[in-house]
Amino acid sequence: MNNKIIITFFLCLLICGCTPSVDSYTFLEENAKIRPEYEGTYIPYNIAPLNFEILEEADQFLVRLAVEGKDSFEIKTKDNVIIPIKKWKNLLENNKGEELIIKIFSKKNGKWTKYNDQIYSIAQDAVDPYIAYRLIEPGYNAWQYMGLYQQCIENYKESPILENSLTDKNCMNCHTFHKNNPEMMVFHLRGAGGGTMLSKDGEVKKYNTKAPWMMAAGVYPRWHPNGRYIAFSTNNTRQIFYTLQKNKIEVFDFDSDLVIFDTEREKIFTDSVIHSK
Protein backbone atom coordinates (compact mmCIF):
# COMPACT_ATOMS: atom_id res chain seq x y z
CA MET A 1 0.00 0.00 0.00
CA ASN A 2 1.56 3.30 -1.07
CA ASN A 3 1.56 6.49 1.03
CA LYS A 4 -1.23 8.07 -1.01
CA ILE A 5 -3.61 5.16 -0.31
CA ILE A 6 -2.71 5.15 3.41
CA ILE A 7 -3.40 8.90 3.73
CA THR A 8 -6.73 8.53 1.87
CA PHE A 9 -7.73 5.64 4.15
CA PHE A 10 -7.10 7.62 7.35
CA LEU A 11 -8.86 10.68 5.96
CA CYS A 12 -11.89 8.45 5.33
CA LEU A 13 -11.80 7.31 8.96
CA LEU A 14 -11.69 10.90 10.20
CA ILE A 15 -14.39 12.24 7.88
CA CYS A 16 -16.83 9.32 7.99
CA GLY A 17 -16.40 8.51 11.66
CA CYS A 18 -15.57 4.90 10.80
CA THR A 19 -14.49 2.79 13.77
CA PRO A 20 -12.54 -0.47 13.64
CA SER A 21 -14.43 -3.48 15.04
CA VAL A 22 -13.56 -4.83 18.48
CA ASP A 23 -12.05 -8.28 18.02
CA SER A 24 -10.73 -8.99 21.53
CA TYR A 25 -13.00 -8.53 24.55
CA THR A 26 -14.31 -10.07 27.76
CA PHE A 27 -17.97 -11.06 27.71
CA LEU A 28 -20.08 -9.74 30.59
CA GLU A 29 -23.33 -11.66 31.00
CA GLU A 30 -25.57 -8.70 31.77
CA ASN A 31 -27.36 -5.91 29.95
CA ALA A 32 -25.75 -2.50 29.74
CA LYS A 33 -27.76 0.10 31.62
CA ILE A 34 -29.20 2.51 29.07
CA ARG A 35 -31.82 5.27 29.10
CA PRO A 36 -34.42 5.00 27.73
CA GLU A 37 -34.76 1.22 27.42
CA TYR A 38 -36.19 -0.10 24.16
CA GLU A 39 -35.31 -3.81 24.19
CA GLY A 40 -38.05 -6.16 23.05
CA THR A 41 -40.06 -3.48 21.25
CA TYR A 42 -41.24 -3.39 17.65
CA ILE A 43 -39.73 -0.50 15.73
CA PRO A 44 -41.71 1.00 12.82
CA TYR A 45 -39.30 1.10 9.90
CA ASN A 46 -39.94 4.83 9.31
CA ILE A 47 -39.24 6.02 12.87
CA ALA A 48 -36.40 8.45 13.63
CA PRO A 49 -33.24 7.09 15.30
CA LEU A 50 -33.84 5.79 18.82
CA ASN A 51 -30.92 7.56 20.47
CA PHE A 52 -30.01 6.57 24.01
CA GLU A 53 -27.60 7.23 26.87
CA ILE A 54 -25.28 4.58 28.28
CA LEU A 55 -25.23 4.76 32.09
CA GLU A 56 -22.20 2.51 32.65
CA GLU A 57 -18.74 3.80 33.61
CA ALA A 58 -16.08 3.47 30.95
CA ASP A 59 -13.48 5.43 29.03
CA GLN A 60 -15.18 4.71 25.71
CA PHE A 61 -18.09 2.79 24.22
CA LEU A 62 -18.52 1.16 20.84
CA VAL A 63 -22.08 0.43 19.72
CA ARG A 64 -22.73 -1.83 16.75
CA LEU A 65 -26.18 -1.85 15.11
CA ALA A 66 -26.64 -4.91 12.93
CA VAL A 67 -29.07 -7.16 11.14
CA GLU A 68 -27.32 -10.53 11.33
CA GLY A 69 -25.62 -11.49 8.08
CA LYS A 70 -26.78 -8.33 6.29
CA ASP A 71 -26.15 -4.71 7.22
CA SER A 72 -24.35 -3.06 10.13
CA PHE A 73 -22.60 0.10 11.25
CA GLU A 74 -20.77 1.26 14.38
CA ILE A 75 -20.75 4.32 16.63
CA LYS A 76 -17.99 5.36 19.02
CA THR A 77 -19.01 7.48 22.01
CA LYS A 78 -18.32 8.32 25.66
CA ASP A 79 -21.95 8.28 26.83
CA ASN A 80 -24.74 9.47 24.47
CA VAL A 81 -25.41 7.32 21.42
CA ILE A 82 -26.47 9.64 18.58
CA ILE A 83 -27.40 7.46 15.62
CA PRO A 84 -26.83 8.92 12.12
CA ILE A 85 -30.29 9.24 10.59
CA LYS A 86 -29.33 8.20 7.04
CA LYS A 87 -27.59 4.99 8.18
CA TRP A 88 -30.45 4.21 10.57
CA LYS A 89 -33.14 4.71 7.91
CA ASN A 90 -31.28 2.57 5.38
CA LEU A 91 -30.79 -0.21 7.94
CA LEU A 92 -34.48 -0.31 8.89
CA GLU A 93 -36.03 0.19 5.45
CA ASN A 94 -33.83 -2.52 3.91
CA ASN A 95 -34.57 -5.05 6.66
CA LYS A 96 -38.30 -4.91 7.41
CA GLY A 97 -39.44 -7.91 9.44
CA GLU A 98 -35.91 -8.69 10.62
CA GLU A 99 -34.30 -8.45 14.06
CA LEU A 100 -32.11 -5.45 14.86
CA ILE A 101 -29.28 -6.37 17.22
CA ILE A 102 -27.59 -3.71 19.35
CA LYS A 103 -24.12 -4.75 20.53
CA ILE A 104 -22.54 -2.56 23.22
CA PHE A 105 -18.81 -2.70 24.03
CA SER A 106 -17.10 -0.68 26.77
CA LYS A 107 -13.40 0.14 27.09
CA LYS A 108 -11.84 0.69 30.50
CA ASN A 109 -8.14 0.76 31.35
CA GLY A 110 -7.35 -0.29 27.80
CA LYS A 111 -9.52 -3.45 27.87
CA TRP A 112 -12.78 -4.08 26.06
CA THR A 113 -15.88 -5.66 27.59
CA LYS A 114 -19.04 -6.74 25.74
CA TYR A 115 -22.54 -6.70 27.25
CA ASN A 116 -25.50 -8.87 26.27
CA ASP A 117 -26.97 -8.15 22.87
CA GLN A 118 -30.15 -6.08 22.91
CA ILE A 119 -32.68 -7.22 20.33
CA TYR A 120 -35.41 -5.20 18.64
CA SER A 121 -37.90 -6.24 15.96
CA ILE A 122 -38.24 -4.13 12.83
CA ALA A 123 -41.92 -3.91 11.94
CA GLN A 124 -43.17 -4.48 8.40
CA ASP A 125 -45.43 -1.45 8.75
CA ALA A 126 -44.86 2.27 9.02
CA VAL A 127 -46.36 4.41 11.77
CA ASP A 128 -48.27 7.68 11.30
CA PRO A 129 -45.50 10.25 10.79
CA TYR A 130 -46.86 12.95 13.14
CA ILE A 131 -47.93 13.29 16.76
CA ALA A 132 -49.68 16.35 18.20
CA TYR A 133 -49.53 17.62 21.77
CA ARG A 134 -49.89 20.64 24.01
CA LEU A 135 -46.60 22.05 25.27
CA ILE A 136 -46.74 23.87 28.59
CA GLU A 137 -44.23 24.81 31.26
CA PRO A 138 -43.72 22.03 33.88
CA GLY A 139 -45.01 24.18 36.75
CA TYR A 140 -48.27 24.86 34.97
CA ASN A 141 -50.13 26.15 38.03
CA ALA A 142 -48.50 29.39 36.81
CA TRP A 143 -47.74 29.77 33.10
CA GLN A 144 -47.45 32.39 30.41
CA TYR A 145 -46.61 30.60 27.19
CA MET A 146 -48.15 27.44 25.75
CA GLY A 147 -49.12 26.04 22.40
CA LEU A 148 -50.31 23.09 20.36
CA TYR A 149 -47.46 21.52 18.40
CA GLN A 150 -46.79 18.69 16.01
CA GLN A 151 -43.65 16.62 15.74
CA CYS A 152 -42.58 14.45 12.83
CA ILE A 153 -41.42 11.20 14.38
CA GLU A 154 -39.48 10.37 11.22
CA ASN A 155 -36.93 13.11 11.96
CA TYR A 156 -37.93 14.73 15.32
CA LYS A 157 -38.69 18.11 13.71
CA GLU A 158 -41.23 20.11 15.72
CA SER A 159 -43.53 22.83 14.39
CA PRO A 160 -46.37 24.85 15.97
CA ILE A 161 -50.04 24.32 15.14
CA LEU A 162 -50.98 27.35 17.24
CA GLU A 163 -49.14 29.29 19.94
CA ASN A 164 -50.86 31.44 22.55
CA SER A 165 -48.63 34.39 21.65
CA LEU A 166 -51.22 34.84 18.87
CA THR A 167 -54.25 34.62 21.20
CA ASP A 168 -53.47 37.08 24.01
CA LYS A 169 -51.62 34.45 26.10
CA ASN A 170 -54.77 32.47 26.88
CA CYS A 171 -55.05 28.76 27.64
CA MET A 172 -55.63 26.19 24.89
CA ASN A 173 -56.41 22.54 25.49
CA CYS A 174 -58.38 19.36 24.74
CA HIS A 175 -57.38 18.97 21.08
CA THR A 176 -58.51 15.89 19.20
CA PHE A 177 -58.74 14.71 15.58
CA HIS A 178 -61.34 12.71 13.68
CA LYS A 179 -59.74 9.34 12.96
CA ASN A 180 -56.26 10.94 13.04
CA ASN A 181 -57.21 13.23 10.15
CA PRO A 182 -55.31 16.54 10.58
CA GLU A 183 -57.95 18.33 8.44
CA MET A 184 -60.65 17.60 11.06
CA MET A 185 -59.60 18.95 14.45
CA VAL A 186 -61.29 20.47 17.49
CA PHE A 187 -59.77 22.26 20.51
CA HIS A 188 -60.67 24.91 23.06
CA LEU A 189 -59.39 28.41 23.76
CA ARG A 190 -60.02 29.53 27.36
CA GLY A 191 -60.30 33.02 28.80
CA ALA A 192 -60.99 36.31 27.06
CA GLY A 193 -62.02 35.76 23.44
CA GLY A 194 -62.20 32.03 24.06
CA GLY A 195 -64.33 29.39 22.41
CA THR A 196 -64.23 26.01 20.74
CA MET A 197 -62.20 25.97 17.53
CA LEU A 198 -63.34 23.56 14.82
CA SER A 199 -61.35 22.82 11.66
CA LYS A 200 -63.43 20.90 9.12
CA ASP A 201 -63.95 20.87 5.34
CA GLY A 202 -61.20 23.44 4.87
CA GLU A 203 -62.77 25.98 7.25
CA VAL A 204 -61.84 27.03 10.78
CA LYS A 205 -64.70 28.34 12.96
CA LYS A 206 -65.04 29.37 16.59
CA TYR A 207 -68.13 28.33 18.59
CA ASN A 208 -69.57 29.05 22.00
CA THR A 209 -70.40 25.54 23.22
CA LYS A 210 -72.17 26.68 26.40
CA ALA A 211 -75.94 26.64 26.12
CA PRO A 212 -77.93 28.43 28.89
CA TRP A 213 -78.91 25.10 30.48
CA MET A 214 -75.29 23.83 30.71
CA MET A 215 -73.08 24.19 33.79
CA ALA A 216 -70.05 25.01 31.61
CA ALA A 217 -68.88 25.01 28.00
CA GLY A 218 -67.70 21.80 26.36
CA VAL A 219 -64.61 20.23 27.90
CA TYR A 220 -63.31 16.78 26.85
CA PRO A 221 -64.25 15.95 23.21
CA ARG A 222 -64.77 12.76 21.23
CA TRP A 223 -65.63 12.58 17.53
CA HIS A 224 -68.36 10.32 16.21
CA PRO A 225 -66.95 7.94 13.55
CA ASN A 226 -69.06 9.60 10.83
CA GLY A 227 -67.41 12.99 11.52
CA ARG A 228 -70.67 14.91 11.90
CA TYR A 229 -71.06 14.82 15.69
CA ILE A 230 -68.71 15.58 18.57
CA ALA A 231 -69.54 14.52 22.13
CA PHE A 232 -68.34 16.86 24.87
CA SER A 233 -68.28 16.45 28.59
CA THR A 234 -69.34 19.52 30.51
CA ASN A 235 -67.72 19.78 33.92
CA ASN A 236 -67.52 21.75 37.12
CA THR A 237 -63.81 21.12 37.57
CA ARG A 238 -61.34 21.89 40.36
CA GLN A 239 -57.59 21.40 40.63
CA ILE A 240 -55.22 20.88 43.56
CA PHE A 241 -51.49 21.52 43.11
CA TYR A 242 -48.97 19.68 45.30
CA THR A 243 -45.43 20.68 46.23
CA LEU A 244 -44.05 17.44 47.71
CA GLN A 245 -45.49 14.72 45.46
CA LYS A 246 -44.19 13.28 42.20
CA ASN A 247 -47.57 13.97 40.57
CA LYS A 248 -48.02 17.70 40.93
CA ILE A 249 -51.72 18.04 40.18
CA GLU A 250 -55.02 16.43 41.10
CA VAL A 251 -58.10 17.18 38.98
CA PHE A 252 -61.65 16.38 40.10
CA ASP A 253 -65.23 17.33 39.22
CA PHE A 254 -68.10 18.48 41.45
CA ASP A 255 -70.49 17.78 38.57
CA SER A 256 -70.33 16.48 35.01
CA ASP A 257 -72.65 15.66 32.11
CA LEU A 258 -72.52 14.92 28.37
CA VAL A 259 -73.70 16.94 25.38
CA ILE A 260 -73.54 16.47 21.61
CA PHE A 261 -72.50 19.09 19.05
CA ASP A 262 -73.91 18.70 15.54
CA THR A 263 -71.25 20.25 13.27
CA GLU A 264 -73.65 20.48 10.27
CA ARG A 265 -76.56 22.19 12.09
CA GLU A 266 -74.14 23.96 14.45
CA LYS A 267 -76.34 23.06 17.41
CA ILE A 268 -75.74 21.64 20.91
CA PHE A 269 -78.24 19.04 22.17
CA THR A 270 -78.43 16.27 24.77
CA ASP A 271 -80.78 13.73 26.36
CA SER A 272 -81.73 12.80 29.90
CA VAL A 273 -79.96 9.45 29.42
CA ILE A 274 -76.60 11.31 29.43
CA HIS A 275 -77.47 14.64 31.06
CA SER A 276 -79.13 14.64 34.49
CA LYS A 277 -78.45 14.73 38.20
Side-chain angles (χ1 to χ4, degrees):
M1 186 181 293
N2 61 41
N3 290 338
K4 186 175 181 181
I5 295 175
I6 293 172
I7 291 170
T8 303
F9 173 74
F10 280 105
L11 281 174
C12 176
L13 289 180
L14 289 171
I15 295 169
C16 302
C18 306
T19 308
S21 298
V22 177
D23 296 320
S24 178
Y25 57 84
T26 301
F27 180 65
L28 190 62
E29 294 187 40
E30 62 182 53
N31 288 353
K33 296 184 183 69
I34 67 171
R35 182 173 57 202
E37 296 182 358
Y38 303 110
E39 188 181 14
T41 60
Y42 273 83
I43 305 173
Y45 69 83
N46 65 322
I47 200 166
L50 299 181
N51 300 324
F52 58 91
E53 179 185 9
I54 303 176
L55 304 177
E56 303 288 349
E57 291 186 6
D59 302 320
Q60 188 181 77
F61 296 100
L62 183 103
V63 178
R64 184 180 301 156
L65 294 85
V67 173
E68 206 65 61
K70 293 187 177 180
D71 304 313
S72 68
F73 63 90
E74 297 178 347
I75 301 166
K76 186 169 65 174
T77 181
K78 291 190 175 180
D79 45 31
N80 295 326
V81 179
I82 308 300
I83 303 171
I85 188 168
K86 185 177 264 188
K87 290 183 178 181
W88 169 266
K89 287 293 184 86
N90 288 339
L91 186 65
L92 267 57
E93 289 181 7
N94 293 336
N95 295 284
K96 300 169 189 173
E98 301 284 350
E99 287 187 338
L100 173 64
I101 302 172
I102 309 293
K103 301 176 184 287
I104 300 177
F105 303 83
S106 66
K107 187 179 184 181
K108 196 171 184 179
N109 299 325
K111 296 182 179 180
W112 286 99
T113 299
K114 181 183 178 299
Y115 295 92
N116 288 336
D117 291 346
Q118 301 202 20
I119 299 176
Y120 309 68
S121 296
I122 305 172
Q124 295 274 10
D125 302 312
V127 70
D128 285 349
Y130 284 88
I131 58 172
Y133 46 88
R134 180 174 71 158
L135 194 60
I136 188 171
E137 297 165 7
Y140 52 90
N141 55 332
W143 50 267
Q144 185 177 14
Y145 300 103
M146 71 166 67
L148 302 179
Y149 291 82
Q150 64 182 9
Q151 186 178 86
C152 178
I153 62 172
E154 294 181 337
N155 55 26
Y156 293 139
K157 290 183 179 178
E158 181 184 71
S159 56
I161 298 171
L162 181 65
E163 295 174 319
N164 75 343
S165 59
L166 301 174
T167 59
D168 293 328
K169 305 290 178 65
N170 65 355
C171 178
M172 52 186 65
N173 56 17
C174 302
H175 63 284
T176 188
F177 302 89
H178 177 252
K179 294 183 177 180
N180 294 340
N181 179 2
E183 303 301 323
M184 295 178 68
M185 177 189 184
V186 65
F187 66 93
H188 304 303
L189 295 177
R190 306 293 186 186
T196 296
M197 306 298 297
L198 175 65
S199 173
K200 186 182 178 186
D201 300 328
E203 287 187 282
V204 179
K205 292 183 178 181
K206 184 171 72 172
Y207 295 94
N208 177 8
T209 55
K210 185 184 184 306
W213 42 266
M214 291 169 56
M215 71 182 78
V219 183
Y220 307 115
R222 177 73 173 182
W223 286 84
H224 189 278
N226 68 15
R228 173 173 175 174
Y229 302 102
I230 305 173
F232 289 103
S233 69
T234 177
N235 309 66
N236 184 2
T237 302
R238 294 292 183 273
Q239 298 173 318
I240 295 175
F241 294 93
Y242 301 108
T243 57
L244 299 177
Q245 291 194 26
K246 181 178 179 181
N247 297 317
K248 298 299 182 186
I249 186 173
E250 187 74 44
V251 180
F252 60 94
D253 297 330
F254 286 137
D255 295 290
S256 62
D257 273 313
L258 295 176
V259 298
I260 309 295
F261 179 57
D262 184 337
T263 63
E264 291 185 7
R265 296 175 59 230
E266 300 182 314
K267 299 285 187 182
I268 287 276
F269 67 94
T270 191
D271 187 271
S272 59
V273 173
I274 59 173
H275 191 284
S276 72
K277 288 290 184 182

